[in-house]
mmCIF file of all heavy atoms in Angstrom:
data_model
loop_
_atom_site.group_PDB
_atom_site.id
_atom_site.type_symbol
_atom_site.label_atom_id
_atom_site.label_comp_id
_atom_site.label_asym_id
_atom_site.label_seq_id
_atom_site.Cartn_x
_atom_site.Cartn_y
_atom_site.Cartn_z
ATOM 1 N N SER A 90 93.546 138.737 15.346
ATOM 2 C CA SER A 90 94.363 137.630 15.823
ATOM 3 C C SER A 90 93.482 136.449 16.228
ATOM 4 O O SER A 90 93.766 135.300 15.884
ATOM 5 C CB SER A 90 95.218 138.087 17.007
ATOM 6 O OG SER A 90 95.896 137.002 17.575
ATOM 7 N N SER A 91 92.395 136.752 16.949
ATOM 8 C CA SER A 91 91.477 135.684 17.362
ATOM 9 C C SER A 91 90.836 135.019 16.154
ATOM 10 O O SER A 91 90.689 133.797 16.110
ATOM 11 C CB SER A 91 90.386 136.249 18.271
ATOM 12 O OG SER A 91 90.947 136.748 19.459
ATOM 13 N N ALA A 92 90.436 135.833 15.160
ATOM 14 C CA ALA A 92 89.815 135.270 13.961
ATOM 15 C C ALA A 92 90.809 134.400 13.199
ATOM 16 O O ALA A 92 90.462 133.317 12.705
ATOM 17 C CB ALA A 92 89.298 136.395 13.066
ATOM 18 N N ALA A 93 92.042 134.860 13.095
ATOM 19 C CA ALA A 93 93.055 134.063 12.401
ATOM 20 C C ALA A 93 93.297 132.741 13.133
ATOM 21 O O ALA A 93 93.404 131.678 12.510
ATOM 22 C CB ALA A 93 94.361 134.846 12.288
ATOM 23 N N GLN A 94 93.355 132.827 14.447
ATOM 24 C CA GLN A 94 93.573 131.610 15.242
ATOM 25 C C GLN A 94 92.389 130.661 15.078
ATOM 26 O O GLN A 94 92.572 129.457 14.922
ATOM 27 C CB GLN A 94 93.767 131.977 16.718
ATOM 28 C CG GLN A 94 94.128 130.801 17.584
ATOM 29 C CD GLN A 94 94.384 131.218 19.025
ATOM 30 O OE1 GLN A 94 94.185 132.366 19.388
ATOM 31 N NE2 GLN A 94 94.821 130.280 19.831
ATOM 32 N N ALA A 95 91.162 131.214 15.093
ATOM 33 C CA ALA A 95 89.975 130.369 14.907
ATOM 34 C C ALA A 95 89.987 129.747 13.514
ATOM 35 O O ALA A 95 89.641 128.575 13.345
ATOM 36 C CB ALA A 95 88.701 131.191 15.113
ATOM 37 N N GLY A 96 90.396 130.520 12.513
ATOM 38 C CA GLY A 96 90.488 129.979 11.158
ATOM 39 C C GLY A 96 91.475 128.833 11.069
ATOM 40 O O GLY A 96 91.205 127.809 10.438
ATOM 41 N N HIS A 97 92.621 128.998 11.711
ATOM 42 C CA HIS A 97 93.621 127.925 11.712
ATOM 43 C C HIS A 97 93.078 126.689 12.433
ATOM 44 O O HIS A 97 93.298 125.555 11.988
ATOM 45 C CB HIS A 97 94.919 128.394 12.363
ATOM 46 C CG HIS A 97 95.679 129.393 11.542
ATOM 47 N ND1 HIS A 97 96.104 129.137 10.258
ATOM 48 C CD2 HIS A 97 96.081 130.661 11.822
ATOM 49 C CE1 HIS A 97 96.734 130.189 9.783
ATOM 50 N NE2 HIS A 97 96.732 131.134 10.715
ATOM 51 N N THR A 98 92.382 126.918 13.531
ATOM 52 C CA THR A 98 91.821 125.799 14.287
ATOM 53 C C THR A 98 90.795 125.048 13.433
ATOM 54 O O THR A 98 90.817 123.812 13.371
ATOM 55 C CB THR A 98 91.161 126.303 15.580
ATOM 56 O OG1 THR A 98 92.142 127.002 16.354
ATOM 57 C CG2 THR A 98 90.591 125.163 16.390
ATOM 58 N N VAL A 99 89.906 125.795 12.772
ATOM 59 C CA VAL A 99 88.894 125.164 11.925
ATOM 60 C C VAL A 99 89.571 124.414 10.780
ATOM 61 O O VAL A 99 89.190 123.286 10.451
ATOM 62 C CB VAL A 99 87.900 126.222 11.391
ATOM 63 C CG1 VAL A 99 87.040 125.657 10.284
ATOM 64 C CG2 VAL A 99 87.028 126.740 12.524
ATOM 65 N N HIS A 100 90.562 125.012 10.176
ATOM 66 C CA HIS A 100 91.292 124.364 9.078
ATOM 67 C C HIS A 100 91.933 123.071 9.558
ATOM 68 O O HIS A 100 91.867 122.027 8.888
ATOM 69 C CB HIS A 100 92.346 125.314 8.512
ATOM 70 C CG HIS A 100 93.131 124.723 7.393
ATOM 71 N ND1 HIS A 100 94.343 124.100 7.596
ATOM 72 C CD2 HIS A 100 92.876 124.633 6.071
ATOM 73 C CE1 HIS A 100 94.792 123.652 6.449
ATOM 74 N NE2 HIS A 100 93.932 123.971 5.496
ATOM 75 N N ASP A 101 92.569 123.128 10.726
ATOM 76 C CA ASP A 101 93.217 121.924 11.264
ATOM 77 C C ASP A 101 92.192 120.826 11.535
ATOM 78 O O ASP A 101 92.428 119.653 11.218
ATOM 79 C CB ASP A 101 93.989 122.262 12.543
ATOM 80 C CG ASP A 101 95.201 123.142 12.281
ATOM 81 O OD1 ASP A 101 95.618 123.247 11.104
ATOM 82 O OD2 ASP A 101 95.733 123.725 13.250
ATOM 83 N N LYS A 102 91.039 121.205 12.116
ATOM 84 C CA LYS A 102 90.011 120.210 12.420
ATOM 85 C C LYS A 102 89.422 119.634 11.134
ATOM 86 O O LYS A 102 89.150 118.435 11.055
ATOM 87 C CB LYS A 102 88.913 120.815 13.288
ATOM 88 C CG LYS A 102 89.361 121.030 14.720
ATOM 89 C CD LYS A 102 88.254 121.521 15.605
ATOM 90 C CE LYS A 102 88.754 121.697 17.038
ATOM 91 N NZ LYS A 102 87.695 122.149 17.928
ATOM 92 N N ALA A 103 89.221 120.487 10.132
ATOM 93 C CA ALA A 103 88.686 120.000 8.856
ATOM 94 C C ALA A 103 89.684 119.054 8.187
ATOM 95 O O ALA A 103 89.291 118.021 7.632
ATOM 96 C CB ALA A 103 88.375 121.179 7.936
ATOM 97 N N THR A 104 90.949 119.386 8.251
ATOM 98 C CA THR A 104 91.973 118.513 7.678
ATOM 99 C C THR A 104 91.991 117.171 8.400
ATOM 100 O O THR A 104 92.060 116.113 7.777
ATOM 101 C CB THR A 104 93.353 119.194 7.764
ATOM 102 O OG1 THR A 104 93.293 120.441 7.069
ATOM 103 C CG2 THR A 104 94.439 118.329 7.163
ATOM 104 N N GLN A 105 91.922 117.238 9.714
ATOM 105 C CA GLN A 105 91.919 116.008 10.504
ATOM 106 C C GLN A 105 90.681 115.168 10.176
ATOM 107 O O GLN A 105 90.783 113.953 10.007
ATOM 108 C CB GLN A 105 91.949 116.356 11.999
ATOM 109 C CG GLN A 105 92.073 115.152 12.897
ATOM 110 C CD GLN A 105 92.124 115.551 14.371
ATOM 111 O OE1 GLN A 105 91.834 116.685 14.729
ATOM 112 N NE2 GLN A 105 92.477 114.617 15.212
ATOM 113 N N ALA A 106 89.521 115.818 10.058
ATOM 114 C CA ALA A 106 88.298 115.091 9.722
ATOM 115 C C ALA A 106 88.405 114.483 8.328
ATOM 116 O O ALA A 106 87.972 113.341 8.101
ATOM 117 C CB ALA A 106 87.088 116.021 9.796
ATOM 118 N N SER A 107 88.996 115.219 7.405
ATOM 119 C CA SER A 107 89.187 114.709 6.046
ATOM 120 C C SER A 107 90.063 113.464 6.063
ATOM 121 O O SER A 107 89.765 112.473 5.391
ATOM 122 C CB SER A 107 89.816 115.793 5.171
ATOM 123 O OG SER A 107 90.258 115.267 3.956
ATOM 124 N N HIS A 108 91.139 113.515 6.819
ATOM 125 C CA HIS A 108 92.029 112.349 6.907
ATOM 126 C C HIS A 108 91.305 111.164 7.544
ATOM 127 O O HIS A 108 91.475 110.018 7.103
ATOM 128 C CB HIS A 108 93.287 112.694 7.701
ATOM 129 C CG HIS A 108 94.231 113.594 6.967
ATOM 130 N ND1 HIS A 108 94.728 113.323 5.714
ATOM 131 C CD2 HIS A 108 94.757 114.798 7.320
ATOM 132 C CE1 HIS A 108 95.520 114.285 5.313
ATOM 133 N NE2 HIS A 108 95.555 115.209 6.268
ATOM 134 N N THR A 109 90.494 111.435 8.554
ATOM 135 C CA THR A 109 89.760 110.363 9.221
ATOM 136 C C THR A 109 88.786 109.706 8.249
ATOM 137 O O THR A 109 88.708 108.475 8.161
ATOM 138 C CB THR A 109 89.002 110.915 10.442
ATOM 139 O OG1 THR A 109 89.947 111.514 11.334
ATOM 140 C CG2 THR A 109 88.238 109.825 11.166
ATOM 141 N N VAL A 110 88.038 110.538 7.502
ATOM 142 C CA VAL A 110 87.080 110.001 6.534
ATOM 143 C C VAL A 110 87.809 109.212 5.451
ATOM 144 O O VAL A 110 87.375 108.124 5.055
ATOM 145 C CB VAL A 110 86.243 111.151 5.924
ATOM 146 C CG1 VAL A 110 85.461 110.674 4.714
ATOM 147 C CG2 VAL A 110 85.304 111.730 6.962
ATOM 148 N N HIS A 111 88.925 109.748 4.993
ATOM 149 C CA HIS A 111 89.714 109.051 3.951
ATOM 150 C C HIS A 111 90.187 107.704 4.470
ATOM 151 O O HIS A 111 90.107 106.687 3.764
ATOM 152 C CB HIS A 111 90.898 109.923 3.538
ATOM 153 C CG HIS A 111 91.754 109.299 2.493
ATOM 154 N ND1 HIS A 111 92.869 108.564 2.780
ATOM 155 C CD2 HIS A 111 91.633 109.283 1.144
ATOM 156 C CE1 HIS A 111 93.408 108.118 1.670
ATOM 157 N NE2 HIS A 111 92.687 108.552 0.659
ATOM 158 N N ASP A 112 90.689 107.677 5.706
ATOM 159 C CA ASP A 112 91.171 106.418 6.281
ATOM 160 C C ASP A 112 90.041 105.407 6.409
ATOM 161 O O ASP A 112 90.206 104.226 6.079
ATOM 162 C CB ASP A 112 91.822 106.666 7.646
ATOM 163 C CG ASP A 112 93.125 107.441 7.540
ATOM 164 O OD1 ASP A 112 93.679 107.541 6.420
ATOM 165 O OD2 ASP A 112 93.586 107.964 8.586
ATOM 166 N N LYS A 113 88.874 105.869 6.874
ATOM 167 C CA LYS A 113 87.740 104.959 7.032
ATOM 168 C C LYS A 113 87.262 104.442 5.673
ATOM 169 O O LYS A 113 86.916 103.263 5.543
ATOM 170 C CB LYS A 113 86.599 105.649 7.777
ATOM 171 C CG LYS A 113 86.884 105.810 9.254
ATOM 172 C CD LYS A 113 85.725 106.411 10.002
ATOM 173 C CE LYS A 113 86.073 106.542 11.493
ATOM 174 N NZ LYS A 113 84.956 107.092 12.251
ATOM 175 N N ALA A 114 87.242 105.321 4.675
ATOM 176 C CA ALA A 114 86.828 104.893 3.335
ATOM 177 C C ALA A 114 87.820 103.877 2.771
ATOM 178 O O ALA A 114 87.416 102.887 2.147
ATOM 179 C CB ALA A 114 86.718 106.099 2.403
ATOM 180 N N THR A 115 89.101 104.117 2.999
ATOM 181 C CA THR A 115 90.122 103.167 2.536
ATOM 182 C C THR A 115 89.948 101.823 3.218
ATOM 183 O O THR A 115 90.009 100.769 2.572
ATOM 184 C CB THR A 115 91.527 103.739 2.801
ATOM 185 O OG1 THR A 115 91.651 104.986 2.138
ATOM 186 C CG2 THR A 115 92.603 102.798 2.316
ATOM 187 N N GLN A 116 89.723 101.851 4.530
ATOM 188 C CA GLN A 116 89.515 100.597 5.258
ATOM 189 C C GLN A 116 88.273 99.868 4.748
ATOM 190 O O GLN A 116 88.293 98.642 4.565
ATOM 191 C CB GLN A 116 89.373 100.872 6.754
ATOM 192 C CG GLN A 116 90.667 101.277 7.428
ATOM 193 C CD GLN A 116 90.461 101.676 8.877
ATOM 194 O OE1 GLN A 116 89.345 101.726 9.367
ATOM 195 N NE2 GLN A 116 91.555 101.961 9.567
ATOM 196 N N ALA A 117 87.190 100.623 4.511
ATOM 197 C CA ALA A 117 85.969 99.998 4.004
ATOM 198 C C ALA A 117 86.211 99.395 2.625
ATOM 199 O O ALA A 117 85.724 98.300 2.317
ATOM 200 C CB ALA A 117 84.834 101.025 3.945
ATOM 201 N N GLY A 118 86.970 100.112 1.802
ATOM 202 C CA GLY A 118 87.299 99.584 0.470
ATOM 203 C C GLY A 118 88.113 98.307 0.563
ATOM 204 O O GLY A 118 87.864 97.347 -0.190
ATOM 205 N N HIS A 119 89.086 98.292 1.467
ATOM 206 C CA HIS A 119 89.902 97.084 1.640
ATOM 207 C C HIS A 119 89.048 95.918 2.144
ATOM 208 O O HIS A 119 89.202 94.780 1.674
ATOM 209 C CB HIS A 119 91.063 97.342 2.602
ATOM 210 C CG HIS A 119 92.140 98.203 2.033
ATOM 211 N ND1 HIS A 119 92.756 97.948 0.827
ATOM 212 C CD2 HIS A 119 92.721 99.337 2.507
ATOM 213 C CE1 HIS A 119 93.663 98.860 0.573
ATOM 214 N NE2 HIS A 119 93.655 99.732 1.575
ATOM 215 N N LYS A 120 88.148 96.210 3.093
ATOM 216 C CA LYS A 120 87.270 95.145 3.605
ATOM 217 C C LYS A 120 86.389 94.598 2.496
ATOM 218 O O LYS A 120 86.222 93.384 2.363
ATOM 219 C CB LYS A 120 86.405 95.672 4.753
ATOM 220 C CG LYS A 120 87.143 95.818 6.056
ATOM 221 C CD LYS A 120 86.207 96.289 7.164
ATOM 222 C CE LYS A 120 86.956 96.506 8.464
ATOM 223 N NZ LYS A 120 86.067 97.022 9.517
ATOM 224 N N ALA A 121 85.807 95.514 1.693
ATOM 225 C CA ALA A 121 84.942 95.071 0.594
ATOM 226 C C ALA A 121 85.744 94.248 -0.418
ATOM 227 O O ALA A 121 85.273 93.212 -0.905
ATOM 228 C CB ALA A 121 84.297 96.272 -0.090
ATOM 229 N N HIS A 122 86.952 94.689 -0.713
ATOM 230 C CA HIS A 122 87.808 93.948 -1.653
ATOM 231 C C HIS A 122 88.123 92.568 -1.094
ATOM 232 O O HIS A 122 88.069 91.561 -1.821
ATOM 233 C CB HIS A 122 89.094 94.740 -1.912
ATOM 234 C CG HIS A 122 90.021 94.055 -2.850
ATOM 235 N ND1 HIS A 122 91.065 93.273 -2.419
ATOM 236 C CD2 HIS A 122 90.050 94.006 -4.202
ATOM 237 C CE1 HIS A 122 91.698 92.782 -3.457
ATOM 238 N NE2 HIS A 122 91.115 93.219 -4.553
ATOM 239 N N ASP A 123 88.472 92.517 0.197
ATOM 240 C CA ASP A 123 88.793 91.225 0.809
ATOM 241 C C ASP A 123 87.585 90.287 0.781
ATOM 242 O O ASP A 123 87.720 89.098 0.473
ATOM 243 C CB ASP A 123 89.274 91.427 2.250
ATOM 244 C CG ASP A 123 90.625 92.124 2.324
ATOM 245 O OD1 ASP A 123 91.311 92.198 1.283
ATOM 246 O OD2 ASP A 123 90.978 92.610 3.428
ATOM 247 N N ARG A 124 86.398 90.831 1.105
ATOM 248 C CA ARG A 124 85.194 89.990 1.099
ATOM 249 C C ARG A 124 84.885 89.502 -0.313
ATOM 250 O O ARG A 124 84.505 88.346 -0.509
ATOM 251 C CB ARG A 124 83.999 90.780 1.649
ATOM 252 C CG ARG A 124 84.063 90.995 3.139
ATOM 253 C CD ARG A 124 82.881 91.785 3.628
ATOM 254 N NE ARG A 124 83.023 92.131 5.039
ATOM 255 C CZ ARG A 124 82.411 93.131 5.607
ATOM 256 N NH1 ARG A 124 81.601 93.895 4.911
ATOM 257 N NH2 ARG A 124 82.594 93.382 6.892
#
Side-chain angles (χ1 to χ4, degrees):
S90 173
S91 296
Q94 186 177 6
H97 289 302
T98 302
V99 167
H100 180 266
D101 292 344
K102 286 185 179 181
T104 302
Q105 185 179 13
S107 168
H108 288 306
T109 302
V110 168
H111 180 266
D112 292 345
K113 286 184 180 181
T115 302
Q116 288 174 356
H119 288 308
K120 284 182 183 177
H122 180 264
D123 292 345
R124 287 179 187 157

